[in-house]
Amino acid sequence: MRVIFACAGTGGHVNPAIAIANIIKKRNKDANILFIGTKDGLENKLVKNSGYDICHISTGKIIRSFTFKNIKAITKNIKGIKEARKIIKDFRPDLVIGTGGYICGPVMLAAKKYKIPYILHESNAYPGVSVKMLAKNATKVMIGFEDARARLKNRENIVYTGTPAKFNEETYKKLDKTRCLENLKLTNVNKKLILVTCGSQGARKINEVVLDMVKKYLNDKIYIILVTGDKNYDDVMSQINDIEKELNIDLSKYIRIEKFVYNMDEMYKAVDMCITRAGAMTITELSLAGKPSILVPLPYAAENHQFYNAKVLEGVNAAKIIEQKNLDEDVLNDTISSMINDDVINKMSINAKKVIVENVEDKIYNSIKDSLIK
């Protein structure tokens, strides 16, 4: 089996592609996989760290207006189609898989030229422009949320597979909470644990509001683990030091700062609730872990897709949404206070699991096998 993946730009496009590639390699060790991305995108680091090769093409984001930038983007995409054709001709894939983003256009058009079947995976509840445009000629369109089906015109080729996460329901159930608390050095914290995380890049606004809340309320009932991401870590630590000097207090009793969390499944097992963005993979992980959450959708995400992702969990009363424009320390504190008791946590945990998609890996791999060149 020879497969090309097209993904670029954000972790929301790249991580599902890597997860699907891992599913293929798990089921077919002899599979040959190649990624196509951009020269400067996040995909380079993520793909290479996952052990896969990546080639590059030119591409640009086309907007619906006549501007010089649009002409430049169209020119790049035309060049990108030619570059993608050469890669496909040399690699000779049996299948091409796209997980969203404007890089999918040139790659899928190149695949169509050589009559190579392509399939798409849309992890978000609100499909992106590329998936909408390319769905008609796709052999299959795999969707992460059932809500996406009604937003795609050609529904005959849609398969509700769910989105692969970094862990699955079976392995998560086997985790021992006490052991996880020990591994994370949290056994001595006798408070409700709240994880605040916004992906590898973090979120400056959310970090600032959390610190303002901790400073203002010094709530003895909760303990916050704030994952800043590499970019914001030093700034957050500086703010922590300033607050400690101003109040003459040790904030380690109320909050712990982490740059990254690598064993995220253990962290989910340890904490009582989460405050996070609403990327598709995050929503999937929250449902698998059964964690109540406060979701702050990324306000400038394409098509406002994170808001629609968040609505999936809010719709089953497993999460509360705070739009970033409404987020401040008082709103956040009040929302936490309304959720952080055992009855609410237990009910929301049960509700979160209602959106779990069973047998995600099987559904994805079967869709891939069904789409291969015969």
Side-chain angles (χ1 to χ4, degrees), residues 150-161:
R151 298 178 176 121
L152 292 167
K153 290 183 179 179
N154 181 6
R155 302 181 191 177
E156 294 179 1
N157 62 347
I158 294 174
V159 184
Y160 179 32
T161 61

Side-chain angles (χ1 to χ4, degrees), residues 272-308:
D272 296 288
M273 64 177 288
C274 302
I275 300 169
T276 184
R277 291 295 194 194
M281 191 168 283
T282 297
I283 300 297
T284 299
E285 290 175 352
L286 289 170
S287 66
L288 287 171
K291 291 301 163 182
S293 55
I294 297 172
L295 301 174
V296 186
L298 186 68
Y300 41 85
E303 307 286 333
N304 200 21
H305 67 260
Q306 285 207 3
F307 178 79
Y308 292 98

Side-chain angles (χ1 to χ4, degrees), residues 96 108 117-121 131 133-142 154 156-158 371:
V96 177
M108 301 310 158
Y118 71 80
I119 65 178
L120 304 169
H121 183 277
V131 170
M133 292 177 63
L134 296 165
K136 181 180 178 181
N137 293 312
T139 303
K140 291 185 186 295
V141 180
M142 302 182 288
N154 181 6
E156 294 179 1
N157 62 347
I158 294 174
S371 301

Side-chain angles (χ1 to χ4, degrees), residues 342-360:
D342 290 336
D343 286 342
V344 174
I345 288 172
N346 291 337
K347 287 176 182 177
M348 294 184 79
S349 177
I350 292 168
N351 290 338
K353 294 177 182 178
K354 290 178 181 178
V355 300
I356 291 176
V357 182
E358 303 287 346
N359 304 316
V360 171

Side-chain angles (χ1 to χ4, degrees), residues 87-101:
I87 293 170
I88 288 172
K89 185 177 180 181
D90 292 343
F91 188 76
R92 294 175 287 108
D94 302 302
L95 181 69
V96 177
I97 300 175
T99 54

